[in-house]
Amino acid sequence: HMVLQRGQEVPVWGRALPGEQVQVSLEGVDGATARTRTDADGRWMVRLPAMAAESTPRPLVVRTMPASPNLEREELTIDDVLVGEVWVCSGQSNMQWTLDWCGQSDIDTSTADHDQLRMFTATRTSVPDPQEDVVGDWTICDRDSAPNLSAVAYYFGRELQRELDVPVGLIHTSWGGSTAEAWTTRDRLESMEETRPILERFDRMDAPDPDTAEFTSITYDDTAWRSVTLPSMFAEQGHDIDGTIWYRLHFDLPKAWEGRELEVTLGQIDDADQVWFNGFKIGENAYWETDRRYVIPADLVRPGPSLLTVRVTDYQGPGGFKGPVDRMRMGPVDAPGDRRMLTGSWLMQVSERPLVRPMSMNHRPAHLYNGMINPFVPYGIQGAIWYQGESNVGRADQYSTLFPAMIENWRDAWGEGDFPFYFVQIAPYDYGRPLECAELREAQADALRLPATGMAVTMDVGNPKDIHPVAKEPVGHRLALLARADVYGHDVIARSPVVQSTEVDGATMVLRFTGACLPLETLDGSAPTHFELAGEDRVYHPATAVVDGDSIRLTSDAVAAPVAARFAWDDDAEPNLAGACGLPVGPFRTDQWPRVTSGRW
């Protein structure tokens, strides 16, 4: 059900045997064929020629022509492929939130031809190294599937499909609570003074336990360790702690298991674990509600004395092995009925090392780029939409550098030039950090200095009591307006008015605005709210605002000689100023005074 990007060469890539010829064709489309030969590692890539939009489902067929006459030709057919517009949709929870979570499961799906609207949702993956593959499926957006799809992406794609009357494909790759640095490559983060401390902080947290080499060795003398029965929790073992406990199990590996892949299951562990077999690490997990399953490679399996070592770390609440008993076992992968139980007596040692809390999986620098962006590169796309920033509140000054760098990072990776990148300014919410949040919104707007960018203002559709406002349709609509105006040349107004100049007339400051959305007005017909003035003392006071066409006139009894103004400079501000087109004016300030978040790395 995938959609290929129209109007540009379409990369298609994969793996086959080294030296094979590969032919790729979109059947039924004139000239949509390309050929290549695999390299020494069996990798190949072709670029199908630029195609017009194609609404009739076509098969994409990949055929191999082996280098050796002794090998058979292979053919892979991918059915129901369309050609149209493709957009990446990424960010944190406000992009991830589905129509169902927003209470909009009963949405009227008749407003778009949903056979022509498809979405790929990437499985959340956080890994230290760039990945080639990602788990997910292309889904046709219909009444049954839509409730489980990203609401912002859906509304964005629905409007494009309706207005363009071509297929639209949406690649949804987001993770709630994620930071911008998690979506940026390590090389890019290392290249900037402002973001290098992020890596330094993570590397300190991710440093290996100094006990690892000793405690995982099969020759280590553990006779002083005491016995413990597993599964059991730390408290049951006499150590109700937040910290790390090591466990070792000595056993004889049967001769019949030699040279076979072995499966090790440990049930649920609270919170995090790392597992070694005879000194070789076979896996780790940091999710306390997840059953542990690890595989020992066949080439490590030798009969005789063997050792399993498990390092368990608890960060809060109870820690340990939750079981159940029947899930602690091991045996050959190819013989599910042949299992040895791992319950019973183990050896244990409480670590004396200080507890170091790791970064969340969705905060780890570069990890989400590696697992959820890199696999898509260089899939043909038109552009990207982005809704993120809440998790970087508190480091707004750094975000001014980080966010534009992330955009450039993606553009460099795709190699399509400055593809359109549109983002959402975070909505009103009571973070309890008013100035920090206002500065984050300002930092987001700083990315507008990059070409082919646009920002959707959402100060009128938030919820100060809920970081996940359910009004996602206007968000998708405003992002679609930016794409329609910039990319597709539609006669629509897509941007809010912005301040162009300031002038002081005695005790009055006049702010003049620019943009296609003028003249100014208020959404409720009342006087403009959330304006402030400051004098030379740099102390802001509430100001009275009067709309005067394309201008705002500000006065304050507390400021006789104003030098600066600011608007909606609060985390949960819900101002009422907008342009005549209905788009709200975004937060701003006219001063250049240092940010309170300056120097926070």
Side-chain angles (χ1 to χ4, degrees), residues 303-565:
S306 301
L307 172 71
L308 270 181
T309 307
V310 182
R311 179 182 185 268
V312 177
T313 302
D314 178 60
Y315 300 106
Q316 62 180 6
F321 290 78
K322 300 176 69 174
V325 171
D326 61 0
R327 293 185 190 167
M328 290 192 64
R329 56 187 187 173
M330 70 182 297
V333 171
D334 59 3
D338 185 7
R339 289 292 181 269
R340 170 199 174 106
M341 298 305 296
L342 299 176
T343 54
S345 181
W346 288 57
L347 299 175
M348 67 168 288
Q349 176 70 37
V350 177
S351 174
E352 297 179 357
R353 307 292 175 184
L355 179 63
V356 178
R357 298 181 184 276
M359 277 189 186
S360 300
M361 302 290 282
N362 55 350
H363 285 200
R364 298 182 178 185
H367 279 48
L368 302 192
Y369 180 93
N370 291 338
M372 301 177 68
I373 296 297
N374 193 74
F376 293 112
V377 178
Y379 194 95
I381 63 171
Q382 181 63 259
I385 60 172
W386 172 262
Y387 195 158
Q388 188 275 339
E390 296 91 341
S391 289
N392 286 86
V393 167
R395 292 184 285 126
D397 199 50
Q398 181 188 65
Y399 200 83
S400 287
T401 300
L402 170 60
F403 183 39
M406 188 207 82
I407 296 173
E408 292 177 324
N409 196 183
W410 289 22
R411 288 172 168 175
D412 290 345
W414 254 276
E416 290 186 12
D418 294 330
F419 62 70
F421 195 103
Y422 303 128
F423 54 92
V424 181
Q425 192 176 53
I426 60 173
Y429 175 68
D430 183 8
Y431 291 86
R433 297 180 287 175
L435 297 183
E436 297 175 10
C437 185
E439 290 182 359
L440 193 282
R441 293 192 184 107
E442 180 182 61
Q444 289 180 299
D446 286 345
L448 295 173
R449 66 178 182 265
L450 297 180
T453 54
M455 182 175 72
V457 179
T458 60
M459 301 303 289
D460 60 329
V461 291
N463 184 345
K465 296 181 179 180
D466 190 346
I467 200 171
H468 302 119
V470 298
K472 295 293 193 282
E473 185 168 8
V475 179
H477 168 62
R478 290 170 189 177
L479 290 167
L481 285 177
L482 290 164
R484 290 175 59 196
D486 295 357
V487 180
Y488 305 114
H490 292 186
D491 185 16
V492 295
I493 298 175
R495 288 171 170 80
S496 302
V498 294
V499 172
Q500 183 181 41
S501 64
T502 64
E503 179 182 332
V504 177
D505 181 10
T508 301
M509 176 170 279
V510 180
L511 306 177
R512 290 189 171 83
F513 288 74
T514 186
C517 193
L518 294 169
L520 296 170
E521 58 182 36
T522 57
L523 297 170
D524 57 5
S526 304
T529 61
H530 292 84
F531 275 98
E532 298 173 282
L533 282 174
E536 291 288 353
D537 61 359
R538 299 189 177 187
V539 178
Y540 275 100
H541 300 274
T544 299
V546 177
V547 174
D548 184 10
D550 296 354
S551 301
I552 293 286
R553 300 179 66 86
L554 299 176
T555 57
S556 174
D557 292 341
V559 184
V563 299

Side-chain angles (χ1 to χ4, degrees), residues 565-578:
R566 67 186 186 189
F567 170 67
W569 211 252
D570 203 344
D571 52 2
D572 60 353
E574 294 183 285
N576 61 354
L577 186 63

Side-chain angles (χ1 to χ4, degrees), residues 1-4 60 78-83 118 138 169 379:
H1 308 310
M2 69 177 170
V3 180
L4 304 179
L60 183 75
I78 301 170
D79 292 315
D80 189 18
V81 177
L82 306 179
V83 183
R118 285 102 184 277
W138 282 98
Y379 194 95

Side-chain angles (χ1 to χ4, degrees), residues 20 214 278 481 523:
E20 284 191 319
E214 188 175 26
N278 290 344
L481 285 177
L523 297 170

Side-chain angles (χ1 to χ4, degrees), residues 23 27 53 193 348 591:
Q23 175 180 292
E27 302 289 310
E193 180 180 354
M348 67 168 288
D591 69 77

